[in-house]
Amino acid sequence: MAKKMYDTPLLDQLESGPWPSFVTGLKRLAKDKSYVVDLLGQLETSYRTRKGYWKGGTVGVFGYGGGVIPRFTELKDENEKPLFPEAAEFHTLRVQPPAGMHYDTATLRKMCDVWEKYGSGLIAFHGQSGDIMFQGCTTDNVQPAFDALNEMGFDLGGAGPALRTSMSCVGAARCELSCYNEAKALTSVINANLDDMHRPALPYKFKFKFSGCGNDCVNAIQRSDFAVIGTWRDNMQINNGYARKYYAEHGMTDLVNDVIARCPTKAIQVMKKSEVKSAPHVSVAELDDELRLVIDNKDCVRCVHCLNVIRGGLLPGKDRGISILVGGKGVLKIGATMGTVVVPFMKMESDEDFEKLNELARNVLDFFAENALEHERTGEMIDRIGLVNFLEGVGLPVDANMVLEPRSNPYVRTDGWDEEVAKVKAQKSAAA
Ligand code: SF4
């Protein structure tokens, strides 16, 4: 039986809306746990005074340098005694979810039992970091709670200036747009670099994320330093049954407004059957007996929009693989950035392919460790040193498509150009 509840008039208001309230959940837990009663007391104080009262500190488990977010109360009386003593420590364990976040119910129940026993009972699936957040634990219980979770096969995630917990989309298990084995890519890259997660020694955080297609369901392009996005390089595949079904249900207006007008590169058109000329780079879907949807694959940038709308009727090609982008992140020194494509296409099927991905991931991580400044993300580092220097440093070829914008300065220094031309000519004639 838990201690008596405090009055929480401000928190109570959060239960009055139409949505499920975390306050209701906390009150349910508070029936058996004095820990949560005091948490509600501290929270109500925060709402009243409009101040947060948690401060950090150092709490960890043996052998790990990160993964636990320490929280100690700052609400003390004049004798330095906590005003809400049961919740004076409220640490969070960041735990890595399985790739694709697939669980069975037995595992979820076991996790709940562990957290009922050692923590507050409050679990977030999943935090912004991608981790399972086991919230609310005393310093003494951090080690036994971790041991119990570790016994189940789970490991702590990243915190601080370290390799962070990774995320992959639900992937091939439930999505027909998946272009590679996201779960395998995640586990092989993260397992190979676990040391950088558990012993923070980087200049700042570094995130890998894996999405199976251009929908980028884990926000890899906006949110990760190293984004792996599934794509294909041959022609889109067609399922005429589903394409006809879409057209029968939606008609020409929807097709034009939702598909054709929204293709960013104008790669799609509707034609009469008799007008369609077959070509190696063209995919043709049947809309009815007379009309055809014609996709020019050499103009398609694989944004996946038309595949999303004509679900099942248009599918990724057979020659699938990944694109790699670096430098995405939320707002920081240079504003929010999206990742830049540094590898347009790479196969991801054989063990050698995964090995190649691992090697590149390690090179980028090493380059970041050696060249980034304190508190600087990969995107900011590239902005400071220049993309060409980054590419040279990690051993990737420079491509003309990587030019951010055409030059605006019409004056060009030509010093050394004649010598360069002479050198190239000499090399060519030597080779001939
Ligand atoms: Fe256009 Fe290709 Fe995107 Fe379809 S996937 S909307 S064809 S760019």
Side-chain angles (χ1 to χ4, degrees), residues 322-342:
I322 56 167
S323 297
I324 298 174
L325 299 89
V326 294
K329 55 156 205 63
V331 178
L332 210 61
K333 297 185 192 77
I334 58 166
T337 55
M338 306 247 282
T340 301
V341 177
V342 293

Side-chain angles (χ1 to χ4, degrees), residues 236 262-265 267-268 295 300-307:
M236 218 178 267
R262 288 175 193 265
C263 172
T265 52
I268 315 176
I295 296 145
C300 166
V301 289
R302 279 61 173 167
C303 80
V304 204
H305 173 72
C306 60
L307 284 75

